[in-house]
Amino acid sequence: MVTLAEVARHAGVSASTVSYVLSGKRTISARTRERVERSIRELGYHPNAGARALASSRSNIIALMMPLRTDMYLPVMMEIAIAVATTAREHAHDVLLLTGQEGPEATRRVVGSGLADAMILMDVELEDERLPLVRETRRPAVLIGLPADTGELTCVDLDFAETGRQCVSHLAGLGHREIAMVGEAAAVYERRTGFAERTILGVRERAAELGVRVLHRPCEGSYESMAGTLSRIFDERPGTTAIIVQNEAVIGPMLSLLRQQGRAVPEDISVVAVCPEQVATQQSVALTSVAIPAFEMGQRAVELVMDRLRPDAVLAPAGTHTELLPPTLTVRASTGPAAGVPVSHAPANGAR
Amino acid sequence: MVTLAEVARHAGVSASTVSYVLSGKRTISARTRERVERSIRELGYHPNAGARALASSRSNIIALMMPLRTDMYLPVMMEIAIAVATTAREHAHDVLLLTGQEGPEATRRVVGSGLADAMILMDVELEDERLPLVRETRRPAVLIGLPADTGELTCVDLDFAETGRQCVSHLAGLGHREIAMVGEAAAVYERRTGFAERTILGVRERAAELGVRVLHRPCEGSYESMAGTLSRIFDERPGTTAIIVQNEAVIGPMLSLLRQQGRAVPEDISVVAVCPEQVATQQSVALTSVAIPAFEMGQRAVELVMDRLRPDAVLAPAGTHTELLPPTLTVRASTGPAAGVPVSHAPANGAR
DNA sequence: CTGAAAGCGCTAACAC
DNA sequence: GTGTTAGCGCTTTCAG
C-alpha cells in the first residue's frame, strides 16, 4: 500500500507538503505541486480513509437512514437515495446506508463512532422515535419529511398542504363541485406520517373556500381494495365528477376500473394524481399531476447538511429550519370540465 | 468524546484490556470484563471508527455499487440494497452506497483508500466496464448478475434460464402450444444485461423440446407500447393462448388491455410473469409467477463477501464461483388449460 | 490473565 | 513556500 510518506520521498518533498497539495489548504508553488501530483499518479496513491478520519476527525461520510416501512412507495425512496448519493459525491462525501432494523440507536452508533459526519433521515413520522437522539446530537442532521414538532430541527419536504390546495383549485376551476380523494393505506395515516394528512388538510381548506364537497377515503395497495373504494365512493356520492389520488400503487387499477365501469377519463370523471412524473406519464391516459420532487428533496437535504459542515460553519445548535418545496401541478389529459358544465363559460360558482 | 484510554482509567485497567474486552480476542476474567463493560456503559463510549480502521486496516464497511440505468426496475434494486444493508449489519458491517455517476473508478477510490473492505456490484452487464478493476483488486467482490465471462469472479443471480424453462413447462403442461413472450425494453437487450437473454434462451430451449412455438417481443415501459406489442402478437400469431411476461412496468397495462379486448385470463389466455411476488399478487388477477428473489440475492452476496473477509480466509484470488438461485414457479389464478383443451384429463405431456 | 508500548497514515500546528 | 513533529484513538505484538 502506497503511503503519503512514500509519495513525499518519491517527489523529494516533505509529508506535509503532499498533504497540503491534496487539501489545498496552503499555497504551493506550481513546480512542487506538479512534482507531487506526478508522484501520486505514478505510484497510484490513494489517501487512507481511516488515517485521514482519525487525524482530521472528519470521515467525509454522511449517513442516510431509511426505515423500511412496507407501505412506503419504494421508487420514491430509491430516487431520494440516489439523489443523496449523487449530490454527496459532488461535495466529496460518501453515503452510508442505514436501514431501520437497528432502531434509533443506529443514530448513536454511527455518529458516536465518528463513522459519519452528519445524517439525513427519511420517512419521518409525526412523533418519530429518532428525534430525541437527533436533537441531542451535535452533528448536523436533516429530516426528509415533517414531524409534528419541528423545533430545533432542519427539515425538507414537499409542501403537501399547498399540493392539496392546487389540486382542488384546478378541479374547481374546471367546474367540479363534488370531489373524491383516494388516499394512502390506512396504516399510513395511523402511523401519522405527516405528508398524507397535510395533503388532505390542504384539500379540505381550499374546498371549503371554493364551496366544493370532498369525500376522503384511504385505500390499500391492491386492485381489490381500489375496486371497493371506488364503488363506495360512487355509492355515497353519485355526483362525484373528479378524483384526487395520492397512492401510486393503485393508480393503474383505478384507471382500469373506471374504464370497465364505462366512466371515461376525463369526459365523465377527471383524475389528478400526486405522484412521480414517470408514473403520471406512463398510464393509459397521461395524468394531470403534482410531481413528487424526489431528486430535489434528496439534493436539498445534502446541501443543507453540507452548509453546516463547512469548516467555518457556526457550531451552535442548528435552530429551526423548514424548507417546503413548492408543488407544481402539470395539466395533462386526465382532467377536463365537469360533466354537464359547458366547456366554455364554465361558471366558477357552479351553483344550480 | 470518550476514548478507550478514558474507559481504561475509569475501569482501572490498561488500554489493551479494554480493547480485548471489545474484540474478544483474548480471554478476560469475568470480574475485569464486567468492570470494563460497566465503564463503557457509564461513560457512553463508542470506539472511534477511523482509529479502528487505521490500526486494524479494516473499515468494516462494504461498498454497494449500483449504477442507475433508467430502465432498471427500481423496487428490485431497492430490495436488494435493503437486503445487503440488513445482512451486513448482522455481520457487524455497514454499507456504503455508490451510484454509477463516478464511473468504474469509484471502485478504485473506495477500495484503494481502504474505505471499504469489499464490494458488491449490482446491475452487471455482459461486458461490464468495472470487471477489469474488480479482477485486479485483491479485495473480495461479488457481482449480482452474470457477465459474459465469469472467470475469476464471484457471482450471484437468479437462474433465469431455468426460469424460462419452468414457465414453458408449466404452460406446455396445460396444453399450450403457441406462446408469446413479452420481454424487457429493447435497450435492456442491447445493453446486454444478461438476465433478459438468459430467460429467453431457457424459454426457447424448453419450447423446442416440448414442441411449443414461441414469439418473443421486447416492450418499452409504457401503456401504449404494451398495446402495440399485444396487437402485433395477436396479428402475427392469432393462435396464441399464453403469454410469458418479464417486464414489471407493463404487467398492469397488459391485464387491462386483455380485458378490454375481451380476452379473459385465464380462460382465453394464460399469463405467467417473471416479477417480484408483490407485483404478482396485487394485480386484478393473481398471477402465476416466478419470483425475483431480491432479498435472497442481496443476502447471499453479503454472505459470500463475509466468507472471504474472515480473518482465517485464504488470501488467494477468489477463483471462479457462480451461484444461481433456483427459481420457483408459483401457480396462481392466471394460468389454466389452453382454450380447446378439456379441463380435466389435461395430459401432462401435452402430446396429442 | 493483564500491561506496556510501538506503530497504523494522516493533519495541522509550529517553525523557518 | 516548505519542513518538522506531535498527536488522532485504536490494535497488537512482546513481556510478564
Side-chain angles (χ1 to χ4, degrees):
Chain A
M1 186 198 189
V2 188
T3 70
L4 183 148
E6 299 180 87
V7 174
R9 199 177 320 124
H10 182 104
V13 299
S14 74
S16 61
T17 298
V18 177
S19 177
Y20 285 120
V21 166
L22 253 25
S23 70
K25 287 186 183 175
R26 101 180 173 188
T27 43
I28 305 278
S29 74
R31 265 189 82 263
T32 341
R33 154 174 288 104
E34 272 162 34
R35 273 227 311 287
V36 171
E37 280 168 349
R38 194 150 160 278
S39 300
I40 288 178
R41 243 175 295 117
E42 289 184 8
L43 300 180
Y45 168 70
H46 285 277
N48 180 291
R52 188 170 257 191
L54 177 57
S56 66
S57 36
R58 295 283 246 93
S59 65
N60 279 17
I61 289 177
I62 74 188
L64 176 66
M65 189 166 181
M66 52 159 106
L68 355 110
R69 317 195 199 288
T70 50
D71 47 6
M72 295 312 298
Y73 188 62
L74 291 180
V76 171
M77 300 282 123
M78 183 78 182
E79 202 182 331
I80 294 177
I82 287 169
V84 167
T86 305
T87 312
R89 279 311 302 154
E90 288 166 4
H91 296 263
H93 282 246
D94 276 293
V95 168
L96 202 74
L97 184 65
L98 301 177
T99 57
Q101 100 250 353
E102 263 183 288
E105 291 72 29
T107 319
R108 199 180 260 125
R109 177 178 68 82
V110 166
V111 158
S113 67
L115 220 194
D117 298 333
M119 36 192 313
I120 294 178
L121 308 185
M122 293 176 61
D123 198 6
V124 174
E125 298 184 0
L126 285 181
E127 304 294 342
D128 202 290
E129 49 180 351
R130 296 168 293 183
L131 297 186
L133 293 180
V134 169
R135 284 207 174 81
E136 80 191 20
T137 295
R138 231 172 265 54
R139 304 288 184 133
V142 173
L143 315 194
I144 296 183
L146 249 48
D149 174 11
T150 59
E152 296 302 307
L153 297 174
T154 305
C155 310
V156 179
D157 205 354
L158 174 62
D159 189 340
F160 281 99
E162 178 60 20
T163 297
R165 285 185 218 112
Q166 289 197 9
C167 291
V168 174
S169 290
H170 172 68
L171 292 171
L174 289 166
H176 297 273
R177 288 291 163 271
E178 195 111 327
I179 294 177
M181 161 132 189
V182 174
E184 300 282 356
V188 173
Y189 293 92
E190 277 156 22
R191 268 205 289 107
R192 313 210 52 202
T193 311
F195 77 95
E197 292 192 9
R198 279 148 52 211
T199 310
I200 185 64
L201 283 178
V203 165
R204 291 228 166 87
E205 177 192 324
R206 183 57 48 85
E209 290 168 19
L210 301 179
V212 170
R213 290 185 76 195
V214 172
L215 179 69
H216 174 226
R217 287 288 172 266
C219 183
E220 306 301 314
S222 70
Y223 187 90
E224 278 74 31
S225 53
M226 185 68 246
T229 303
L230 220 45
S231 62
R232 260 184 294 121
I233 287 173
F234 288 117
D235 273 1
E236 295 185 45
R237 299 275 174 87
T240 300
T241 60
I243 298 179
I244 299 172
V245 55
Q246 178 176 211
N247 186 332
E248 291 83 356
V250 296
I251 290 179
M254 173 190 282
L255 294 175
S256 178
L257 285 158
L258 288 173
R259 194 181 302 113
Q260 280 176 69
Q261 300 173 357
R263 300 182 203 267
V265 173
E267 291 78 2
D268 301 322
I269 190 113
S270 285
V271 173
V272 179
V274 179
C275 68
E277 294 280 73
Q278 216 203 355
V279 173
T281 56
Q282 286 203 351
Q283 305 298 326
S284 48
V285 182
L287 300 181
T288 294
S289 74
V290 175
I292 306 279
F295 198 92
E296 286 78 0
M297 286 163 61
Q299 195 171 36
R300 276 308 290 155
V302 171
E303 285 164 357
L304 287 170
V305 153
M306 295 313 304
D307 277 352
R308 310 237 287 109
L309 239 30
R310 286 195 330 251
D312 56 322
V314 201
L315 295 175
T320 306
H321 178 73
T322 300
E323 222 170 283
L324 292 183
L325 305 185
T328 312
L329 186 144
T330 304
V331 179
R332 298 202 182 81
S334 67
T335 49
V341 174
V343 175
S344 48
H345 312 88
N349 57 35
R352 277 150 302 167
Chain B
M1 186 197 190
V2 187
T3 71
L4 183 148
E6 299 180 88
V7 173
R9 199 177 319 124
H10 182 105
V13 299
S14 74
S16 61
T17 298
V18 176
S19 178
Y20 284 119
V21 166
L22 253 26
S23 70
K25 287 187 183 174
R26 99 179 172 188
T27 41
I28 305 278
S29 73
R31 266 187 83 263
T32 342
R33 156 175 286 105
E34 272 161 35
R35 273 226 310 287
V36 170
E37 282 168 348
R38 196 150 159 278
S39 300
I40 288 177
R41 243 176 295 117
E42 288 184 9
L43 300 181
Y45 168 70
H46 285 278
N48 179 291
R52 190 170 255 191
L54 177 56
S56 65
S57 38
R58 295 284 245 95
S59 66
N60 278 16
I61 289 178
I62 75 189
L64 176 66
M65 188 166 182
M66 53 159 106
L68 352 111
R69 318 196 200 288
T70 50
D71 47 5
M72 296 310 299
Y73 189 61
L74 291 180
V76 170
M77 299 282 123
M78 183 77 183
E79 201 181 332
I80 295 178
I82 288 169
V84 167
T86 305
T87 311
R89 278 311 302 153
E90 287 167 5
H91 295 263
H93 281 246
D94 276 293
V95 169
L96 202 74
L97 184 65
L98 301 177
T99 57
Q101 99 250 353
E102 263 183 289
E105 291 73 26
T107 318
R108 200 179 260 128
R109 177 177 67 83
V110 165
V111 158
S113 67
L115 219 193
D117 297 332
M119 36 192 313
I120 294 178
L121 307 186
M122 292 175 63
D123 197 7
V124 174
E125 297 184 1
L126 285 182
E127 305 294 341
D128 203 292
E129 49 179 352
R130 296 168 294 183
L131 297 187
L133 293 179
V134 169
R135 283 206 174 82
E136 81 191 20
T137 295
R138 230 174 266 53
R139 303 288 183 134
V142 173
L143 315 195
I144 296 183
L146 247 51
D149 173 12
T150 59
E152 296 302 307
L153 296 174
T154 306
C155 309
V156 179
D157 205 354
L158 174 62
D159 188 339
F160 281 99
E162 177 60 19
T163 298
R165 286 185 217 111
Q166 289 197 9
C167 290
V168 174
S169 290
H170 172 68
L171 292 171
L174 289 166
H176 296 274
R177 287 291 164 273
E178 196 110 330
I179 294 177
M181 162 133 190
V182 173
E184 299 283 355
V188 173
Y189 294 90
E190 279 155 23
R191 266 205 289 108
R192 311 210 54 203
T193 311
F195 77 96
E197 293 192 8
R198 279 147 53 211
T199 310
I200 185 65
L201 284 178
V203 164
R204 291 228 166 87
E205 177 191 324
R206 184 57 49 86
E209 289 168 21
L210 301 179
V212 170
R213 289 185 76 195
V214 172
L215 179 68
H216 174 226
R217 287 288 170 266
C219 184
E220 306 300 315
S222 69
Y223 187 91
E224 277 75 31
S225 52
M226 184 69 244
T229 303
L230 219 45
S231 62
R232 260 183 294 123
I233 286 173
F234 288 117
D235 272 2
E236 295 184 45
R237 298 275 173 88
T240 300
T241 60
I243 297 179
I244 299 172
V245 54
Q246 178 177 214
N247 185 332
E248 291 83 356
V250 295
I251 291 180
M254 172 190 281
L255 295 175
S256 178
L257 284 158
L258 289 173
R259 194 181 303 111
Q260 280 176 67
Q261 301 172 356
R263 301 183 201 268
V265 173
E267 291 79 2
D268 302 322
I269 191 113
S270 284
V271 173
V272 180
V274 180
C275 67
E277 294 282 74
Q278 216 204 355
V279 174
T281 57
Q282 286 202 351
Q283 304 298 327
S284 48
V285 181
L287 300 182
T288 293
S289 73
V290 175
I292 307 278
F295 199 92
E296 286 78 358
M297 287 162 61
Q299 195 171 38
R300 277 308 290 155
V302 171
E303 284 164 358
L304 287 170
V305 153
M306 296 312 305
D307 276 354
R308 309 236 289 109
L309 239 29
R310 286 194 330 251
D312 56 320
V314 201
L315 295 175
T320 306
H321 179 73
T322 300
E323 222 171 282
L324 292 183
L325 305 184
T328 312
L329 185 143
T330 304
V331 178
R332 298 203 182 80
S334 67
T335 50
V341 174
V343 175
S344 51
H345 311 88
N349 55 34
R352 276 149 305 168

